[in-house]
Amino acid sequence: MDEDFRCERVGCDNEAVAPCAYRDRRGRACARQWCLGHLTEIAGAPYCERHASTVTAVGFEAIARGHLPELGNRVPSLVHWVGSDLDTDVCDLLGRATDTRVGETLVTEPVTLVTGGGRTMQRRWERNWKLVSHTGISDRVTLQVHEDEPITVVVRVGQRDVVKAVPPWIQAHALGETLSADQDAAMRRGFYRAIHNAMVAAVR
Ligand SMILES: [Zn+2]
Ligand SMILES: [Zn+2]
């Protein structure tokens, strides 16, 4: 087969069937070619793995407005994946802290871009879980990653950082280390257990 029509995923020899449809807010296209197995269809358009998770993270509204993050920006994708992995645990924790007698309900929000606010003007991507009642927000867990520290995961309870760490499997990849599936799984378990313990200690 002609090299030009191979899937661009490392180690994949399948025939490429379509380019990734991702186009960022500056109008730059991903356009890399992928096989059927390495494309994900979202709202009728094919995306590569990274951009499928970016599109899922930012949602259809952002796509419609052409507000998609820059091509090489992995931060929304990271917040999406870590947020999905944390979701059950955070909902369980805040669910148990919910006081329904005062009308509290748990509100989970999608991944959003936050700019400004607080002491800095840095862009960061966040996911929030809030306990809300008519008197306001009584407790909140925030997952955030700043664009200028793109692999550092911050977990906040209320206004306090309770975890600030680079996920060890991402650190390993950044150092060029290859992990076995078992090592990867063990690192993830340890990372999420540490976050769980920090959140348990901080939630009222
Ligand atoms: Zn492929
Ligand atoms: Zn892509």
Side-chain angles (χ1 to χ4, degrees):
M1 195 191 305
D2 190 319
E3 285 291 326
D4 290 349
F5 294 101
R6 293 260 170 88
C7 174
E8 294 190 49
R9 169 68 177 247
V10 175
C12 181
D13 272 339
N14 293 335
E15 185 184 356
V17 293
C20 170
Y22 194 88
R23 191 173 279 276
D24 73 13
R25 63 199 182 96
R26 298 173 200 268
R28 291 176 305 184
C30 171
R32 297 180 73 197
Q33 302 279 337
W34 310 91
C35 72
L36 214 50
H38 288 127
L39 284 169
T40 303
E41 191 183 312
I42 300 174
Y47 294 97
C48 69
E49 285 172 323
R50 185 200 303 172
H51 291 131
S53 62
T54 306
V55 165
T56 306
V58 302
F60 295 115
E61 202 196 330
I63 303 172
R65 286 184 287 131
H67 282 186
L68 288 170
E70 296 78 3
L71 277 189
N73 189 343
R74 294 167 185 245
V75 172
S77 171
L78 176 60
V79 174
H80 169 72
W81 288 116
V82 173
S84 301
D85 288 341
L86 280 177
D87 187 53
T88 305
D89 196 21
V90 175
C91 288
D92 184 48
L93 215 65
L94 286 181
R96 278 185 273 129
T98 304
D99 188 347
T100 52
R101 291 168 305 175
V102 296
E104 280 181 351
T105 49
L106 175 59
V107 176
T108 71
E109 296 179 351
V111 177
T112 48
L113 172 65
V114 180
T115 51
R119 292 151 296 177
T120 70
M121 292 298 286
Q122 294 161 350
R123 285 159 53 99
R124 63 183 188 272
W125 292 81
E126 283 194 2
R127 194 166 166 199
N128 280 279
W129 293 259
K130 296 172 180 171
L131 274 186
V132 179
S133 71
H134 67 282
T135 57
I137 299 167
S138 40
D139 216 344
R140 174 212 304 255
V141 172
T142 303
L143 165 68
Q144 63 183 207
V145 178
H146 289 256
E147 288 193 344
D148 59 356
E149 288 183 87
I151 57 172
T152 302
V153 168
V154 179
V155 177
R156 293 167 65 85
V157 173
Q159 301 297 317
R160 205 153 54 87
D161 291 3
V162 297
V163 173
K164 186 175 183 186
V166 176
W169 64 94
I170 293 179
Q171 180 83 66
H173 287 302
L175 295 171
E177 292 169 21
T178 311
L179 299 174
S180 69
D182 283 350
Q183 286 172 317
D184 184 272
M187 282 180 176
R188 287 171 196 266
R189 273 197 306 276
F191 183 70
Y192 289 116
R193 190 179 306 120
I195 292 179
H196 172 83
N197 292 340
M199 290 192 303
V200 166
V203 169
R204 60 176 185 182

